[in-house]
Coordinates of all heavy atoms in Angstrom, one line a residue:
Q1 N 49.0 43.7 1.8 CA 48.3 42.9 1.0 C 47.8 41.6 1.8 O 46.8 41.0 1.5 CB 49.1 42.4 -0.2 CG 49.3 43.5 -1.2 CD 50.0 43.0 -2.5 OE1 50.5 41.9 -2.5 NE2 50.0 43.8 -3.5
T2 N 48.6 41.2 2.8 CA 48.2 39.9 3.6 C 46.8 40.1 4.3 O 46.1 39.2 4.1 CB 49.3 39.6 4.5 OG1 50.6 39.4 3.8 CG2 49.0 38.3 5.3
P3 N 46.6 41.3 5.0 CA 45.3 41.4 5.6 C 44.2 41.4 4.6 O 43.1 40.8 4.8 CB 45.4 42.8 6.3 CG 46.8 43.0 6.5 CD 47.6 42.3 5.3
L4 N 44.4 42.0 3.4 CA 43.4 42.1 2.4 C 43.1 40.7 1.9 O 42.0 40.3 1.7 CB 43.9 43.0 1.2 CG 42.9 43.2 0.1 CD1 41.5 43.7 0.6 CD2 43.5 44.1 -0.9
T5 N 44.1 39.9 1.7 CA 44.0 38.5 1.2 C 43.2 37.7 2.2 O 42.3 36.9 1.9 CB 45.3 37.8 1.0 OG1 46.0 38.6 0.0 CG2 45.2 36.4 0.5
T6 N 43.4 37.9 3.5 CA 42.7 37.2 4.5 C 41.3 37.6 4.6 O 40.4 36.7 4.7 CB 43.4 37.4 6.0 OG1 44.7 37.1 5.9 CG2 42.6 36.8 7.1
I7 N 41.0 38.8 4.4 CA 39.6 39.3 4.4 C 38.8 38.7 3.2 O 37.7 38.2 3.3 CB 39.6 40.9 4.3 CG1 40.0 41.4 5.7 CG2 38.2 41.4 4.0 CD1 40.2 42.9 5.7
I8 N 39.5 38.7 2.1 CA 38.8 38.1 0.8 C 38.6 36.6 1.0 O 37.5 36.1 0.7 CB 39.7 38.3 -0.4 CG1 39.7 39.8 -0.7 CG2 39.3 37.5 -1.5 CD1 40.7 40.3 -1.8
E9 N 39.4 35.9 1.7 CA 39.3 34.5 2.0 C 38.1 34.3 3.0 O 37.2 33.4 2.7 CB 40.5 33.9 2.6 CG 41.7 33.7 1.6 CD 42.9 33.2 2.3 OE1 42.9 32.9 3.5 OE2 44.0 33.2 1.7
E10 N 38.0 35.1 3.9 CA 36.9 35.0 4.9 C 35.5 35.3 4.3 O 34.6 34.6 4.5 CB 37.1 35.9 6.1 CG 38.2 35.4 7.0 CD 38.6 36.4 8.1 OE1 37.9 37.5 8.2 OE2 39.5 36.1 8.9
I11 N 35.5 36.3 3.4 CA 34.2 36.7 2.7 C 33.9 35.6 1.7 O 32.8 35.4 1.5 CB 34.3 38.1 2.1 CG1 34.4 39.1 3.3 CG2 33.2 38.4 1.2 CD1 34.7 40.5 2.8
S12 N 34.8 35.0 1.1 CA 34.5 33.9 0.1 C 33.9 32.8 0.9 O 32.9 32.1 0.4 CB 35.8 33.4 -0.5 OG 36.5 34.4 -1.3
G13 N 34.4 32.5 2.1 CA 33.7 31.5 2.9 C 32.3 31.8 3.3 O 31.4 31.0 3.3
M14 N 32.1 33.1 3.7 CA 30.8 33.6 3.9 C 29.8 33.4 2.8 O 28.6 33.1 3.0 CB 30.8 35.1 4.3 CG 31.4 35.4 5.7 SD 31.4 37.2 6.0 CE 29.8 37.6 6.2
D15 N 30.3 33.6 1.5 CA 29.5 33.4 0.4 C 29.0 32.1 0.2 O 27.8 31.8 -0.1 CB 30.2 33.8 -0.9 CG 29.4 33.9 -2.1 OD1 28.3 34.4 -2.0 OD2 29.8 33.4 -3.2
R16 N 29.8 31.1 0.7 CA 29.2 29.7 0.7 C 28.2 29.5 1.8 O 27.3 28.6 1.6 CB 30.5 28.7 0.9 CG 31.3 28.6 -0.4 CD 32.4 27.6 -0.1 NE 33.6 28.0 -0.9 CZ 34.7 28.5 -0.4 NH1 34.8 28.7 0.9 NH2 35.6 29.1 -1.1
L17 N 28.3 30.1 2.9 CA 27.4 29.9 4.0 C 26.1 30.8 3.8 O 25.1 30.4 4.3 CB 28.1 30.3 5.3 CG 29.3 29.4 5.7 CD1 30.0 30.0 6.9 CD2 28.8 28.0 6.0
L18 N 26.3 31.9 3.2 CA 25.1 32.8 3.1 C 24.8 33.1 1.6 O 24.8 34.1 1.1 CB 25.5 34.2 3.7 CG 26.0 34.2 5.2 CD1 26.5 35.6 5.6 CD2 24.7 33.8 6.1
S19 N 24.4 31.9 1.0 CA 24.1 32.0 -0.5 C 23.0 33.0 -0.8 O 23.0 33.5 -1.8 CB 23.8 30.6 -0.9 OG 22.7 30.1 -0.3
E20 N 22.1 33.2 0.2 CA 21.0 34.1 -0.1 C 21.5 35.6 -0.2 O 20.8 36.5 -0.7 CB 19.8 34.1 0.9 CG 20.2 34.5 2.3 CD 20.9 33.4 3.1 OE1 21.1 32.3 2.6 OE2 21.3 33.7 4.2
Q21 N 22.7 35.9 0.3 CA 23.3 37.2 0.2 C 24.3 37.3 -0.9 O 25.2 38.1 -0.8 CB 23.8 37.6 1.6 CG 22.9 37.6 2.7 CD 21.7 38.4 2.4 OE1 21.7 39.4 1.8 NE2 20.5 38.0 3.0
H22 N 24.3 36.4 -1.8 CA 25.4 36.3 -2.8 C 25.5 37.6 -3.6 O 26.7 38.0 -3.9 CB 24.9 35.1 -3.8 CG 25.9 35.1 -5.0 ND1 27.2 34.5 -4.7 CD2 25.9 35.4 -6.2 CE1 27.9 34.5 -5.9 NE2 27.2 35.2 -6.8
E23 N 24.5 38.3 -3.9 CA 24.6 39.6 -4.7 C 25.5 40.6 -3.9 O 26.4 41.1 -4.5 CB 23.3 40.2 -4.9 CG 23.4 41.4 -5.8 CD 21.9 41.9 -6.1 OE1 21.0 41.1 -6.4 OE2 21.8 43.1 -6.2
I24 N 25.3 40.8 -2.7 CA 26.1 41.7 -1.8 C 27.5 41.2 -1.7 O 28.5 42.0 -1.9 CB 25.5 41.9 -0.5 CG1 24.1 42.6 -0.5 CG2 26.4 42.8 0.5 CD1 23.3 42.7 0.7
L25 N 27.7 40.0 -1.4 CA 29.0 39.4 -1.2 C 29.8 39.4 -2.4 O 31.0 39.6 -2.4 CB 28.9 37.9 -0.6 CG 28.4 37.9 0.8 CD1 28.0 36.5 1.2 CD2 29.4 38.5 1.8
F26 N 29.2 39.2 -3.6 CA 29.9 39.2 -4.9 C 30.4 40.6 -5.2 O 31.6 40.7 -5.5 CB 29.0 38.7 -6.0 CG 29.7 38.7 -7.4 CD1 30.6 37.7 -7.6 CD2 29.3 39.6 -8.3 CE1 31.3 37.7 -8.9 CE2 30.0 39.6 -9.5 CZ 30.9 38.7 -9.8
A27 N 29.6 41.5 -5.0 CA 30.0 43.0 -5.1 C 31.1 43.3 -4.2 O 32.2 44.0 -4.6 CB 28.9 43.9 -5.0
L28 N 31.1 42.9 -3.0 CA 32.1 43.1 -2.0 C 33.4 42.5 -2.4 O 34.5 43.1 -2.3 CB 31.6 42.6 -0.6 CG 32.5 42.9 0.5 CD1 32.8 44.3 0.7 CD2 31.9 42.3 1.8
L29 N 33.3 41.2 -2.8 CA 34.6 40.5 -3.3 C 35.2 41.2 -4.5 O 36.4 41.3 -4.6 CB 34.3 39.0 -3.5 CG 34.1 38.1 -2.3 CD1 33.5 36.8 -2.7 CD2 35.3 38.0 -1.6
C30 N 34.3 41.7 -5.4 CA 34.9 42.3 -6.6 C 35.6 43.6 -6.2 O 36.7 43.8 -6.7 CB 33.8 42.6 -7.5 SG 33.2 41.2 -8.4
K31 N 35.0 44.3 -5.3 CA 35.7 45.6 -4.9 C 37.0 45.4 -4.2 O 38.0 46.0 -4.4 CB 34.7 46.4 -4.0 CG 33.5 47.0 -4.9 CD 32.7 47.9 -3.9 CE 31.5 48.5 -4.7 NZ 31.9 49.5 -5.7
L32 N 37.0 44.4 -3.2 CA 38.2 44.1 -2.5 C 39.3 43.6 -3.5 O 40.5 43.9 -3.3 CB 37.9 43.1 -1.4 CG 37.0 43.6 -0.2 CD1 36.6 42.5 0.7 CD2 37.8 44.8 0.5
N33 N 38.9 42.7 -4.4 CA 40.0 42.3 -5.3 C 40.5 43.4 -6.2 O 41.7 43.4 -6.5 CB 39.4 41.1 -6.1 CG 39.6 39.8 -5.5 OD1 40.6 39.3 -5.2 ND2 38.3 39.1 -5.2
G34 N 39.6 44.3 -6.5 CA 40.1 45.4 -7.2 C 41.1 46.3 -6.6 O 41.9 47.0 -7.2
L35 N 41.2 46.3 -5.3 CA 42.1 47.1 -4.5 C 43.6 46.7 -4.8 O 44.4 47.5 -4.7 CB 41.8 47.0 -2.9 CG 40.6 47.6 -2.5 CD1 40.4 47.3 -1.0 CD2 40.5 49.1 -2.7
F36 N 43.7 45.4 -5.2 CA 45.1 45.0 -5.5 C 45.7 45.7 -6.7 O 46.9 45.8 -6.9 CB 45.1 43.4 -5.8 CG 45.0 42.6 -4.6 CD1 43.9 41.8 -4.4 CD2 46.0 42.6 -3.6 CE1 43.8 41.0 -3.3 CE2 45.8 41.7 -2.5 CZ 44.8 41.0 -2.3
D37 N 44.8 46.3 -7.6 CA 45.3 47.0 -8.7 C 45.6 48.4 -8.4 O 46.2 49.1 -9.2 CB 44.2 46.9 -9.8 CG 44.0 45.5 -10.3 OD1 44.9 44.7 -10.3 OD2 42.9 45.2 -10.8
L38 N 45.2 49.0 -7.3 CA 45.3 50.4 -7.0 C 46.6 50.5 -6.1 O 46.6 50.6 -4.9 CB 44.1 50.9 -6.1 CG 42.8 50.7 -6.8 CD1 41.6 51.2 -6.0 CD2 42.9 51.6 -8.2
T39 N 47.8 50.5 -6.8 CA 49.1 50.6 -6.1 C 49.8 51.9 -6.3 O 50.8 52.1 -5.6 CB 50.0 49.4 -6.7 OG1 50.1 49.7 -8.1 CG2 49.3 48.1 -6.4
E40 N 49.3 52.7 -7.1 CA 50.0 54.0 -7.3 C 49.6 55.0 -6.3 O 48.5 54.9 -5.7 CB 49.7 54.6 -8.7 CG 50.1 53.7 -9.9 CD 51.5 53.4 -10.0 OE1 52.4 54.4 -9.7 OE2 51.9 52.2 -10.3
E41 N 50.4 56.0 -6.0 CA 50.2 57.0 -5.0 C 48.9 57.8 -5.5 O 48.1 58.2 -4.6 CB 51.4 58.0 -4.9 CG 51.2 58.8 -3.7 CD 52.5 59.6 -3.4 OE1 53.6 59.0 -3.5 OE2 52.4 60.8 -3.1
D42 N 48.7 58.0 -6.8 CA 47.6 58.7 -7.3 C 46.3 58.0 -7.0 O 45.2 58.5 -7.1 CB 47.7 58.9 -8.8 CG 48.8 59.9 -9.1 OD1 49.3 60.6 -8.1 OD2 49.2 60.0 -10.3
D43 N 46.4 56.7 -6.7 CA 45.2 55.9 -6.5 C 44.6 56.0 -5.0 O 43.6 55.4 -4.7 CB 45.5 54.3 -6.7 CG 45.9 54.2 -8.2 OD1 45.3 54.9 -9.0 OD2 46.6 53.2 -8.5
F44 N 45.3 56.8 -4.2 CA 44.8 56.8 -2.7 C 43.4 57.1 -2.6 O 42.7 56.4 -1.8 CB 45.7 57.8 -2.0 CG 45.2 58.0 -0.6 CD1 45.5 57.1 0.3 CD2 44.5 59.2 -0.3 CE1 45.0 57.3 1.7 CE2 43.9 59.3 1.0 CZ 44.3 58.5 2.0
F45 N 42.9 58.1 -3.2 CA 41.4 58.6 -3.0 C 40.5 57.5 -3.5 O 39.4 57.3 -2.9 CB 41.2 59.9 -3.6 CG 41.8 61.0 -2.8 CD1 43.0 61.6 -3.3 CD2 41.4 61.4 -1.5 CE1 43.6 62.6 -2.6 CE2 42.1 62.3 -0.8 CZ 43.2 63.0 -1.4
L46 N 40.8 56.9 -4.6 CA 40.0 55.8 -5.2 C 40.0 54.5 -4.3 O 39.0 53.9 -4.0 CB 40.4 55.4 -6.6 CG 39.6 54.3 -7.2 CD1 38.2 54.6 -7.4 CD2 40.2 54.0 -8.7
Y47 N 41.2 54.3 -3.7 CA 41.4 53.2 -2.8 C 40.5 53.4 -1.5 O 39.7 52.6 -1.0 CB 42.8 53.1 -2.4 CG 43.2 51.8 -1.6 CD1 43.8 50.7 -2.3 CD2 42.9 51.7 -0.2 CE1 44.1 49.5 -1.5 CE2 43.3 50.5 0.5 CZ 43.9 49.5 -0.1 OH 44.2 48.3 0.5
R48 N 40.6 54.7 -1.0 CA 39.8 55.1 0.2 C 38.2 55.0 -0.1 O 37.6 54.5 0.7 CB 40.2 56.5 0.5 CG 39.5 57.0 1.8 CD 40.0 58.4 2.1 NE 39.2 59.0 3.1 CZ 39.0 60.2 3.4 NH1 39.8 61.1 2.8 NH2 38.3 60.7 4.2
R49 N 37.9 55.6 -1.3 CA 36.5 55.5 -1.7 C 35.9 54.1 -1.6 O 34.9 53.7 -1.2 CB 36.3 56.3 -2.9 CG 34.8 56.3 -3.3 CD 34.5 56.9 -4.5 NE 34.7 55.9 -5.6 CZ 34.8 56.1 -6.9 NH1 34.8 57.4 -7.3 NH2 35.0 55.1 -7.7
T50 N 36.7 53.2 -2.3 CA 36.4 51.8 -2.4 C 36.2 51.2 -1.1 O 35.3 50.3 -0.8 CB 37.4 51.0 -3.3 OG1 37.5 51.7 -4.6 CG2 37.0 49.5 -3.5
I51 N 37.2 51.5 -0.1 CA 37.1 50.9 1.2 C 35.8 51.4 1.9 O 35.0 50.6 2.5 CB 38.2 51.4 2.1 CG1 39.5 50.8 1.6 CG2 38.0 51.1 3.7 CD1 39.6 49.2 1.8
F52 N 35.3 52.6 1.7 CA 34.1 53.1 2.3 C 32.9 52.5 1.6 O 31.9 52.1 2.4 CB 34.0 54.7 2.2 CG 34.8 55.3 3.3 CD1 35.8 56.2 2.9 CD2 34.6 55.1 4.5 CE1 36.6 56.8 3.9 CE2 35.2 55.8 5.6 CZ 36.3 56.6 5.2
E53 N 33.0 52.2 0.3 CA 31.9 51.4 -0.3 C 31.8 50.0 0.3 O 30.7 49.5 0.4 CB 32.2 51.4 -1.8 CG 32.0 52.7 -2.5 CD 32.4 52.7 -4.0 OE1 32.9 51.7 -4.5 OE2 32.3 53.8 -4.6
C54 N 32.9 49.4 0.5 CA 32.9 48.0 1.1 C 32.3 48.0 2.5 O 31.6 47.2 2.8 CB 34.4 47.5 1.1 SG 35.1 47.0 -0.5
L55 N 32.6 49.1 3.3 CA 32.0 49.2 4.6 C 30.5 49.4 4.4 O 29.8 48.8 5.3 CB 32.6 50.4 5.4 CG 34.1 50.2 5.7 CD1 34.6 51.5 6.3 CD2 34.3 49.1 6.8
N56 N 30.0 50.1 3.5 CA 28.6 50.3 3.3 C 27.9 49.0 2.9 O 26.9 48.6 3.4 CB 28.3 51.3 2.3 CG 28.4 52.7 2.7 OD1 28.3 52.9 3.9 ND2 28.8 53.7 1.9
L57 N 28.6 48.2 2.1 CA 28.2 46.8 1.7 C 28.1 45.9 2.9 O 27.1 45.1 3.1 CB 28.9 46.2 0.6 CG 28.8 46.8 -0.8 CD1 29.9 46.3 -1.7 CD2 27.4 46.4 -1.4
M58 N 29.1 46.0 3.7 CA 29.1 45.1 4.9 C 28.0 45.6 5.9 O 27.4 44.7 6.5 CB 30.5 45.3 5.7 CG 31.6 44.6 5.0 SD 31.4 42.8 4.8 CE 31.4 42.3 6.4
S59 N 27.7 46.8 6.0 CA 26.6 47.3 6.9 C 25.3 46.8 6.3 O 24.4 46.3 7.1 CB 26.6 48.9 6.9 OG 25.6 49.3 7.7
T60 N 25.1 46.9 5.1 CA 23.9 46.4 4.4 C 23.8 44.8 4.7 O 22.7 44.4 5.0 CB 23.9 46.6 2.9 OG1 23.9 48.0 2.7 CG2 22.7 46.1 2.2
L61 N 24.8 44.1 4.5 CA 24.9 42.7 4.8 C 24.5 42.4 6.3 O 23.7 41.5 6.5 CB 26.3 42.1 4.5 CG 26.4 40.7 4.7 CD1 25.5 39.9 3.7 CD2 27.9 40.2 4.5
K62 N 25.0 43.1 7.1 CA 24.7 43.0 8.5 C 23.2 43.2 8.8 O 22.7 42.4 9.6 CB 25.5 43.9 9.4 CG 25.3 43.8 10.9 CD 26.2 44.8 11.7 CE 25.8 44.8 13.2 NZ 26.5 45.7 13.8
E63 N 22.7 44.2 8.3 CA 21.2 44.5 8.5 C 20.3 43.3 7.9 O 19.4 42.9 8.6 CB 20.9 45.8 7.8 CG 21.5 47.1 8.4 CD 21.1 48.3 7.6 OE1 20.3 48.3 6.7 OE2 21.8 49.3 7.9
K64 N 20.7 42.8 6.8 CA 20.0 41.7 6.2 C 20.1 40.5 7.0 O 19.1 39.7 7.2 CB 20.4 41.5 4.7 CG 19.9 42.6 3.8 CD 20.3 42.2 2.4 CE 19.8 43.3 1.4 NZ 18.5 43.1 0.9
I65 N 21.3 40.2 7.6 CA 21.4 39.0 8.3 C 20.8 39.1 9.7 O 20.2 38.1 10.1 CB 23.0 38.7 8.5 CG1 23.6 38.3 7.2 CG2 23.2 37.6 9.5 CD1 25.1 38.3 7.2
C66 N 20.7 40.2 10.3 CA 20.2 40.4 11.6 C 18.7 40.7 11.6 O 18.1 40.9 12.7 CB 20.9 41.6 12.4 SG 22.6 41.2 12.7
Q67 N 18.1 40.7 10.4 CA 16.6 41.0 10.4 C 15.9 39.8 11.0 O 16.3 38.6 10.8 CB 16.1 41.1 9.0 CG 16.5 42.4 8.4 CD 16.0 42.5 6.9 OE1 15.5 41.6 6.3 NE2 16.0 43.7 6.4
P68 N 14.8 40.1 11.8 CA 14.1 39.0 12.5 C 13.2 38.2 11.5 O 12.9 38.6 10.5 CB 13.2 39.7 13.6 CG 13.3 41.1 13.2 CD 14.4 41.4 12.3

């Protein structure tokens, strides 16, 4: 949980710096916070899927930030 908390804190800071990307960052923060609720062994595949969704959001964010 500690690494997840750290990631959420860092992305919250990014939201303040990259206000034009608020929609992506908000969705990302919601998904990451939701991971705290997935604690049962049966939640593994949902947890995994959510991580991949977060990675896709991060990729989209990177593309938008790096556009000339």
Side-chain angles (χ1 to χ4, degrees):
Q1 287 185 352
T2 301
L4 181 56
T5 301
T6 302
I7 291 169
I8 290 170
E9 288 173 9
E10 290 176 3
I11 293 174
S12 293
M14 287 176 69
D15 189 42
R16 288 185 212 104
L17 296 172
L18 302 170
S19 59
E20 67 278 0
Q21 303 302 330
H22 178 75
E23 186 176 320
I24 295 171
L25 291 167
F26 181 72
L28 183 58
L29 285 169
C30 288
K31 288 180 181 297
L32 290 171
N33 274 298
L35 292 175
F36 286 116
D37 296 330
L38 301 176
T39 58
E40 301 297 321
E41 192 172 317
D42 293 345
D43 293 332
F44 172 77
F45 291 106
L46 180 56
Y47 192 98
R48 182 177 167 200
R49 186 184 79 193
T50 303
I51 292 294
F52 284 116
E53 290 172 357
C54 289
L55 291 171
N56 284 332
L57 286 169
M58 289 299 296
S59 178
T60 301
L61 181 64
K62 181 182 174 184
E63 288 173 12
K64 288 183 178 268
I65 290 172
C66 293
Q67 286 179 350

